[in-house]
Amino acid sequence: MNDSTPIRTDRPATGGADGLPLWRGLFNAWHTGTGHHINIQHQAQALDEARLAFLIGLGRDPHERRQAGQVLASRHLRIDFQKELFAGDAASIAGNAIASAAMPQGLLDGTMIRTRDLATTMRFQCSLDLFDHQTGTPVGPVTIPETGAGAELRPIEAPDVIDPTPEMPEVWRAALEPRDCDETGRMNLRGMFNVATRALWGTQLLLGMTLDTFRQDGFGMGVVAMQHTTYRLPGNGDMVVSRSGVTGISRHSMRFRQLIRDAVRQETVATFDYVVAFFDQATGAPRPPLPSLLQASEKIRIG
Amino acid sequence: MAGPVETFRGVVRSEQCDHFGHMNVQFYDGAMSDGFFHLLTLIGLDPATVESRRLGLAAIGMTLNYRRELRVGDLYKVETGFMDLTPGHIVTGHRMTRLTDGKLALTAWSRGVPLDLELRRKTTLPDDIFSRAADFVCAPADLDLDPEVLAA
């Protein structure tokens, strides 16, 4: 990559985060979701571009990789969401490769900074892995030389449930279309998060948490942490199903596991574990879960 | 130090490409639109300020010079600066660089006016915003643009 020309970036460079500049962009009104903030699938899109930019920065030519029939994705991805983003917010991502005890090939450690106040909105760590675009199966990890230091994000506790249990209702079902996929026809990260976020709404609805509930009670729920594991990348035309269960409840939050499955092959292709925090919409202060939510969640409790 | 600033950095996605196999022109324009909003945030016109002060900007003309095609997977950046700045009229320049090989992909420039979002009419930049915008003034040559564009 020829990026040696000195460039002037936001002050301080890349918005205060240490690391290599990987992405810079804007979230627009059409990126907002039902909760009126930017839907996490668009943050995932920025993350996807950031990891591609990181590889290009290492001198890996994206066109050569595609010609070799390989797709870049992450078998392991962990995200902390720290601040909301709204329509019109500019942001940037900077990152470094760090050493990892669990991932010998190293992790890309990235931070998204909101330009208007230099607040950290998202912190993520992901492995970089190559997948075969014909089959969607992993080919192997990309070993990345360390470019910085950083502590690993704490894993989200989750039971080792890969196959669905009777307690896990189906909360999403659809066939993948080109808009869900990259140029090779394999599901991209935004597409995967699109399923996850819609399936989360589906799960909330099954637990009685409708938009009316949120409006009437002032109760709020928001994803604050996520862990995503990819086993196989489904492709254009595949039927994808999501099944979901509650894996833990604490004073102001609840944990969920989603299985993303290929409905025809009857296999789990990815999992999402996420932590949803409860808060008061008016003040933003933490709130305990509604009693009706606690009662309903017992029906889909797993692990 | 006045001068242009990086306002966009991203990778060409498959859904941005047309059947010619390169990024469709609408997304070049989109990157510069997003980059311009990024620059507005840097001069104090973030979304909350736009809402509270009911102040925006409107483009009244734009010229784009395509130099290289961008294909899916290409990494690129946009740098942006104000080539002419008065309280009532702004000329903005953009340079897009294909970072995969460091080649110039596009230059562009636009004319705009401050917009009163209540009256939906032209207005002027308040002093505090104008002052911060002055920090991003640059010459056309800083963005590989012909100085003649300012005379157009």
Side-chain angles (χ1 to χ4, degrees):
Chain A
M1 177 176 68
N2 182 352
D3 194 14
S4 57
T5 309
I7 55 165
R8 186 178 168 207
T9 56
D10 325 11
R11 297 147 302 213
T14 69
D18 290 334
L20 310 168
L22 299 177
W23 178 87
R24 184 179 300 277
L26 188 90
F27 296 100
N28 284 295
W30 52 90
H31 296 138
T32 53
T34 313
H36 302 296
H37 48 219
I38 299 303
N39 186 274
I40 57 174
Q41 68 182 290
H42 303 293
Q43 283 150 281
Q45 176 65 60
L47 192 162
D48 191 6
E49 291 185 35
R51 65 187 181 186
L52 285 165
F54 184 77
L55 264 197
I56 293 170
L58 291 180
R60 312 287 179 94
D61 186 324
H63 306 299
E64 285 177 9
R65 186 183 66 245
R66 191 165 55 251
Q67 281 160 8
Q70 293 176 337
V71 178
L72 177 71
S74 297
R75 293 202 68 178
H76 168 80
L77 169 62
R78 172 80 175 79
I79 304 178
D80 277 345
F81 295 101
Q82 298 182 12
K83 299 270 187 204
E84 292 175 294
L85 286 158
F86 295 95
D89 272 341
S92 60
I93 293 177
N96 270 314
I98 62 167
S100 161
M103 301 275 163
Q105 74 270 31
L107 290 171
L108 175 59
D109 179 13
T111 302
M112 180 183 280
I113 300 289
R114 192 166 61 191
T115 304
R116 64 180 152 92
D117 55 4
L118 301 184
T120 296
T121 63
M122 177 176 87
R123 174 97 190 275
F124 68 89
Q125 292 178 345
C126 63
S127 63
L128 300 179
D129 302 276
L130 296 173
F131 289 68
D132 179 75
H133 88 75
Q134 290 290 343
T135 63
T137 52
V139 173
V142 179
T143 301
I144 44 181
E146 267 180 67
T147 59
E152 286 187 66
L153 297 173
R154 190 160 56 93
I156 296 174
E157 286 178 39
D160 190 24
V161 176
I162 301 298
D163 294 317
T165 67
E167 293 80 18
M168 302 180 82
E170 181 177 313
V171 285
W172 167 266
R173 177 179 285 257
L176 298 184
E177 296 192 341
R179 64 173 176 268
D180 305 308
C181 301
D182 66 11
E183 69 277 12
T184 71
R186 289 288 148 195
M187 192 177 193
N188 62 25
L189 194 65
R190 190 203 57 74
M192 195 70 88
F193 273 64
N194 181 31
V195 172
T197 186
R198 288 172 181 234
L200 172 57
W201 268 105
T203 308
Q204 290 178 180
L205 290 169
L206 288 178
L207 297 176
M209 298 292 106
T210 66
L211 278 177
D212 282 345
T213 311
F214 293 129
R215 283 194 204 104
Q216 288 159 11
D217 194 87
F219 182 72
M221 296 172 72
V223 176
V224 294
M226 185 172 260
Q227 188 167 276
H228 173 48
T229 303
T230 304
Y231 301 101
R232 190 176 70 80
L233 291 172
N236 181 32
D238 284 346
M239 174 70 84
V240 168
V241 173
S242 176
R243 295 178 64 153
S244 181
V246 171
T247 57
I249 301 169
S250 60
R251 205 153 66 98
H252 296 127
S253 67
M254 193 175 275
R255 295 194 306 277
F256 296 84
R257 166 158 281 204
Q258 269 185 34
L259 305 178
I260 309 292
R261 290 178 58 80
D262 183 317
V264 175
R265 296 164 69 119
Q266 291 285 303
E267 67 171 6
T268 295
V269 295
T271 59
F272 279 94
D273 294 297
Y274 47 92
V275 180
V276 173
F278 307 128
F279 58 91
D280 184 275
Q281 287 186 41
T283 66
R287 259 184 79 163
L290 295 174
S292 61
L293 173 60
L294 279 178
Q295 193 175 11
S297 65
E298 284 304 320
K299 294 177 186 162
I300 63 167
R301 184 87 187 240
I302 58 171
Chain B
M1 180 191 77
V5 64
E6 179 181 307
T7 54
F8 188 95
R9 178 177 289 247
V11 174
V12 178
R13 310 196 299 263
S14 57
E15 66 267 27
Q16 296 174 318
C17 296
D18 54 31
H19 55 290
F20 295 153
H22 55 207
M23 187 160 84
N24 185 264
V25 292
Q26 65 184 299
F27 297 105
Y28 287 82
D29 202 4
M32 282 174 290
S33 171
D34 284 359
F36 185 66
F37 280 123
H38 201 112
L39 184 53
L40 292 190
T41 295
L42 293 178
I43 67 171
L45 272 177
D46 60 64
T49 307
V50 167
E51 181 63 27
S52 64
R53 296 173 75 162
R54 307 300 291 148
L55 175 66
L57 282 109
I60 56 173
M62 189 161 191
T63 300
L64 299 94
N65 306 300
Y66 299 95
R67 304 296 184 88
R68 301 276 188 314
E69 63 175 1
L70 291 173
R71 297 189 302 142
V72 68
D74 275 336
L75 175 65
Y76 64 104
K77 73 176 180 186
V78 175
E79 294 157 280
T80 307
F82 297 125
M83 301 193 298
D84 191 23
L85 179 70
T86 70
H89 184 237
I90 296 167
V91 181
T92 307
H94 302 277
R95 173 173 60 194
M96 180 182 286
T97 307
R98 187 172 66 189
L99 292 174
T100 320
D101 59 3
K103 303 280 189 188
L104 179 67
L106 171 138
T107 57
W109 58 281
S110 65
R111 292 186 184 282
V113 294
L115 183 68
D116 182 317
L117 297 180
E118 282 301 315
L119 301 174
R120 311 306 299 187
R121 290 172 63 179
K122 180 181 171 183
T123 183
T124 55
L125 287 178
D127 288 346
D128 60 323
I129 302 293
F130 181 76
S131 158
R132 290 181 67 172
D135 198 26
F136 297 95
V137 169
C138 65
D142 292 337
L143 294 167
D144 289 327
L145 278 156
D146 187 336
E148 293 298 313
V149 299
L150 292 178

